[in-house]
Amino acid sequence: MTATAPILASTDQPIRVMIVDDAVVVRGLVSRWLAEETGVEVVASLRNGREAVDQFNRYDPDVVVLDIEMPELDGISTLPLLLEKKRDLIVIMASTLTRRNAEISLKALSLGAADYIPKPETNRDVTTSTTFRRELVDKIKSLAARRRRTAPRPAPAVAPVAGRPAAPPLTPRLGPLPADIRLRPFPPTPPRVIAIGSSTGGPQALQVVLKGLAPIAARFPIIITQHMPPTFTTILAEHLGRASGRPAHEGIDGEPITAGTIYVAPGGRHMVIKRVNNVPVIGLEDGPPVNYCKPAVDPLFASAADAYGAGLLAVVLTGMGSDGAHGAGDVVAHGGGVIAQDEATSVVWGMPGATAHSGVCSAVLPLNDIAPRIIRLASGDRL
């Protein structure tokens, strides 16, 4: 079936959610959670991907929470079939924390899934996990709100011409920055280290930025905090290494930071920068979550600002919440520079939006323009 161009319902209508999971306990629990949320309606609760595909048109969901491991038709096989039916469909992949599922979840993001959510290991753990509930509800509401703001006006459906592929999804039109965002000049010091924070939509955005930085990536370290659980960050580092052509791995406590290497904060630990005998090294900390996140961006930015001062360039990419905004203020206070991703190209403009509105940014850019601007800055251009 060829994709058409439906849009989400108007903002005064509830978000229509389809749950697809072979565990009846999970389906029932998630349905009850969502039923308690204002503005959310569970329209279907199905046990496998085949049922989801066959009954999709009947229920016409805005969001699908899609389990990975299911009989008959698993999640990764179901995903493209659902996206063929509705190209602006929001699909959130759900999986337990295994290496295989982490690989599949990241593959799903590259195939068009909007996000993923790690499930607790057992059904009993699901019933008691307030974190899982909060994250699932937040993702559904944030992603749906974003899609509704950027959805195009409805257009008459046009049948595709035989032999011609369907038109690609519409992309948001770029526009000027909001009037309340004020930019500051970039610092005169070229960056010596890049620190990046990201969350929802981050894995894809990170690959774009790192591929773009390939011509100069050997000249400085790149230190990344992406909101992800353990195992997922291991796989993410491997993916980023392949995308960038540079060595990439999870940060190791006490290891010296060297140019040309990409360091990823391991899931479940905050990654910070310390100086030992005046040498910057990775530090891993097991403190409480910051901004509900662990790892969090704020500790990375604040510590990197202390360690590198004016030589630090911080980049805040797509993500929910406001993590990174406070740490970006520390970066500026120590003489460094800050770039945020713009709203039009962000999956969710929470983190970069909060940073931009705090007045600490020297640039707010479309995703594809971030790496070229960093290259210019590294060459001494302050524009």
Side-chain angles (χ1 to χ4, degrees):
M1 182 174 180
T2 304
T4 57
I7 64 169
L8 289 175
S10 62
T11 54
D12 60 349
Q13 294 182 325
I15 303 164
R16 299 170 58 83
V17 181
M18 173 185 283
I19 302 164
V20 187
D21 196 302
D22 64 328
V24 64
V25 172
V26 174
R27 295 199 307 272
L29 190 64
V30 173
S31 295
R32 290 195 297 273
W33 288 346
L34 297 181
E36 296 173 5
E37 295 294 326
T38 302
V40 179
E41 177 187 3
V42 177
V43 295
S45 180
L46 307 174
R47 61 183 178 179
N48 60 53
R50 177 56 58 199
E51 290 185 357
V53 173
D54 292 345
Q55 300 185 46
F56 185 88
N57 291 341
R58 173 185 175 187
Y59 295 110
D60 188 27
D62 303 321
V63 179
V64 175
V65 180
L66 185 61
D67 190 22
I68 286 179
E69 296 178 313
M70 296 179 292
E72 294 191 45
L73 194 66
D74 62 19
I76 197 66
S77 302
T78 303
L79 173 64
L81 301 178
L82 296 180
L83 294 176
E84 283 180 8
K85 292 179 175 292
K86 190 173 186 176
R87 71 184 184 190
D88 63 353
L89 179 68
I90 297 167
V91 180
I92 301 173
M93 307 301 294
S95 69
T96 52
L97 297 177
T98 65
R99 181 181 176 91
R100 175 179 178 274
N101 285 344
E103 287 275 16
I104 293 173
S105 295
L106 291 179
K107 180 181 179 181
L109 295 179
S110 70
L111 294 176
D115 205 356
Y116 64 90
I117 185 166
K119 291 199 304 185
E121 292 292 332
T122 67
N123 289 342
R124 180 179 179 181
D125 291 337
V126 170
T127 63
T128 59
S129 177
T130 57
T131 299
F132 177 60
R133 177 176 181 170
R134 177 183 54 79
E135 288 186 356
L136 179 60
V137 171
D138 286 351
K139 287 176 187 290
I140 289 172
K141 290 187 172 182
S142 296
L143 290 167
R146 158 68 177 167
R147 189 63 54 86
R148 287 178 171 178
R149 285 195 301 270
T150 60
R153 293 182 180 275
V158 178
V161 177
R164 182 182 299 174
L170 296 176
T171 54
R173 182 170 58 86
L174 303 182
L177 291 177
D180 58 341
I181 292 179
R182 297 288 184 267
L183 301 180
R184 61 177 59 234
F186 277 105
T189 304
R192 293 183 292 114
V193 61
I194 310 297
I196 305 177
S198 53
S199 185
T200 307
Q204 306 96 304
L206 286 167
Q207 292 202 38
V208 171
V209 172
L210 293 179
K211 285 180 181 178
L213 290 177
I216 63 168
R219 293 166 51 181
F220 41 65
I222 300 175
I223 308 168
I224 297 168
T225 290
Q226 159 72 37
H227 295 165
M228 269 187 166
T231 305
F232 279 65
T233 48
T234 305
I235 305 302
L236 175 66
E238 295 172 3
H239 284 213
L240 296 181
R242 289 194 292 269
S244 64
R246 302 303 310 173
H249 61 267
E250 289 180 307
I252 301 170
D253 191 52
E255 71 172 313
I257 298 172
T258 60
T261 301
I262 299 168
Y263 304 87
V264 176
R269 305 287 295 278
H270 294 305
M271 187 167 72
V272 298
I273 311 303
K274 301 178 179 180
R275 281 193 174 269
V276 177
N277 297 324
N278 207 34
V279 175
V281 301
I282 295 290
L284 298 182
E285 298 182 346
D286 197 23
V290 176
N291 302 314
Y292 301 103
C293 302
K294 189 178 178 182
V297 180
D298 276 341
L300 172 63
F301 282 3
S303 61
D306 284 336
Y308 289 101
L312 174 65
L313 178 64
V315 180
V316 183
L317 299 178
T318 173
M320 293 190 301
S322 61
D323 190 26
H326 188 274
D330 293 323
V331 173
V332 169
H334 285 76
V338 178
I339 294 174
Q341 185 176 349
D342 75 348
E343 183 174 13
T345 62
S346 295
V347 174
V348 178
W349 206 50
M351 289 166 51
T355 305
H357 281 101
S358 70
V360 299
C361 292
S362 295
V364 179
L365 300 172
L367 178 62
N368 286 331
D369 292 349
I370 292 175
R373 179 64 63 88
I374 295 174
I375 291 174
R376 287 167 54 189
L377 292 171
S379 301
D381 187 345
R382 294 182 61 196
L383 299 178

